[in-house]
């Protein structure tokens, strides 16, 4: 059977994050990608200049169309934007026995906000309990806990366990926003694991969160267990960041190189 993963997220017209990054990641890792669009953004490597949220009814209709026909094996959730869209997505997932990767997207790499302030509570109450794994960066974890970003690894571990108490089966605390020569992600759940990699000095990190969560979903769709899927996704993203400067896309925060194993930019 073909492994199929579904991304529910917003569109990035610059192609480096959102739906576009998710579909590239699925393809790079041998998974067929389906998509449900939640928002259209006018976006490049420098800024998000406009955004339009799709009606929750249309988001729900896209989900029904995909699930009615495709044998989806895993779902990745990214930009949702509003409480109404969050509830529509949650309603469409309830009762489905599928692994769900929830990336609580709040702010773009450019600093532009992608989630309404009143939507954080809806993510907490409606979506986190449905998640197989929650993948926040340090500011997102702090926002979900109404706390300050974790200043050290032990506080990160404590915040991860606090998020676990909200209902997901696993939490992956991403360390990209921390300081130091080594980047450490913490996988917290039935097992605990540290995933480390040398920090790469590059400005081309647009779409890293989307890419990581999509890579986890690809692994889960292929039947990997959570530690396997997270481990492969972590390694894939590290290689994509290492190769990012070869792309030379845009003049701001450029994208990672999703297809680093197959082609180079001219």
């Amino acid at each position: 059977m073909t492994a199929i993963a579904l991304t529910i997220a917003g569109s990035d017209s610059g192609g480096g994050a959102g739906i576009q990054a998710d579909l590239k990641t699925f393809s790079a890792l041998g998974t067929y990608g389906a998509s449900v669009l939640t928002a259209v953004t006018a976006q490049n490597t420098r800024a998000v200049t406009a955004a339009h949220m799709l009606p929750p009814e249309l988001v729900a209709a896209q989900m029904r169309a995909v699930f009615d026909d495709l044998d989806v094996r895993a779902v990745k959730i990214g930009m949702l934007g509003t409480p109404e869209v969050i509830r529509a997505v949650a309603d469409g997932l309830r009762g489905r026995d599928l692994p769900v990767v929830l990336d609580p997207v709040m702010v773009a790499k450019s600093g532009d906000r992608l989630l309404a302030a009143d939507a954080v509570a809806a993510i907490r109450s409606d979506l986190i309990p449905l998640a197989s794994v929650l993948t926040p960066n340090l500011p997102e974890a702090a926002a979900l806990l109404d706390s300050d970003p974790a200043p050290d690894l032990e506080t990160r571990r404590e915040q991860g366990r606090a998020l676990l108490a909200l209902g997901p089966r696993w939490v992956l605390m991403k360390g990209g926003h921390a300081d130091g020569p080594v980047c450490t992600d913490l996988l917290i759940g039935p097992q605990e694991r540290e995933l480390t990699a040398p920090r790469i000095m590059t400005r081309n990190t647009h779409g890293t969160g989307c890419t990581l969560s999509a890579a986890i979903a690809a692994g889960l769709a292929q039947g990997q267990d959570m530690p396997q899927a997270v481990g492969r996704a972590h390694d894939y993203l590290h290689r994509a960041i290492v190769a990012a400067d070869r792309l030379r896309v845009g003049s701001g925060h450029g994208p990672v190189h999703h297809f680093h194993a197959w082609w180079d930019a001219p």
Side-chain angles (χ1 to χ4, degrees):
M1 295 291 293
T2 299
I4 300 174
L6 168 64
T7 169
I8 304 173
S11 171
D12 172 6
S13 54
I19 288 279
Q20 287 84 346
D22 295 344
L23 294 177
K24 290 173 185 176
T25 301
F26 292 162
S27 293
L29 294 175
T31 298
Y32 181 88
S35 61
V36 167
L37 202 63
T38 60
V40 177
T41 69
Q43 185 173 170
N44 55 31
T45 63
R46 298 193 302 268
V48 179
T49 57
H52 175 71
M53 297 304 304
L54 296 187
E57 298 81 9
L58 183 55
V59 173
Q62 293 176 78
M63 292 180 69
R64 287 194 299 271
V66 171
F67 285 131
D68 283 351
D69 184 42
L70 276 62
D71 183 17
V72 175
R73 300 295 180 88
V75 176
K76 172 260 166 83
I77 301 173
M79 176 186 176
L80 298 176
T82 67
E84 294 77 17
V85 169
I86 290 168
R87 294 186 189 105
V89 170
D91 289 344
L93 290 176
R94 285 193 186 93
R96 299 187 185 277
D97 186 19
L98 286 169
V100 174
V101 181
L102 174 56
D103 182 16
V105 176
M106 298 182 186
V107 178
K109 188 68 67 179
S110 60
D112 298 283
R113 191 167 184 88
L114 300 175
L115 184 71
D118 60 351
V120 175
I123 286 182
R124 220 185 270 125
S125 62
D126 292 285
L127 273 183
I128 288 181
L130 300 177
S132 304
V133 60
L134 176 69
T135 65
N137 60 33
L138 300 187
E140 290 162 351
L144 290 169
L145 293 170
D146 195 20
S147 179
D148 295 324
D152 53 50
L153 193 62
E154 188 52 41
T155 308
R156 243 184 285 168
R157 185 174 281 106
E158 292 171 0
Q159 288 192 353
R161 291 170 181 165
L163 289 171
L164 198 66
L166 297 180
R169 181 165 173 77
W170 299 82
V171 174
L172 179 64
M173 293 287 288
K174 298 182 294 191
H177 284 72
D179 297 321
V182 176
C183 180
T184 300
D185 296 346
L186 294 175
L187 180 63
I188 299 170
Q191 308 168 29
E192 292 197 10
R193 180 181 174 189
E194 293 186 11
L195 301 101
T196 61
R199 193 176 298 277
I200 306 302
M201 302 310 295
T202 175
R203 67 183 300 176
N204 296 320
T205 55
H206 184 52
T208 50
C210 303
T211 298
L212 180 64
S213 55
I216 295 170
L220 296 174
Q222 292 168 358
Q224 296 179 356
D225 64 23
M226 190 64 69
Q228 286 177 310
V230 170
R232 185 181 72 163
H234 183 269
D235 292 343
Y236 167 75
L237 177 60
H238 178 70
R239 292 194 299 271
I241 295 172
V242 169
D245 290 354
R246 301 208 305 260
L247 282 178
R248 301 187 297 277
V249 171
S251 57
H253 292 286
V256 302
H257 196 336
H258 294 94
F259 296 110
H260 56 272
W262 290 273
W263 58 274
D264 289 336

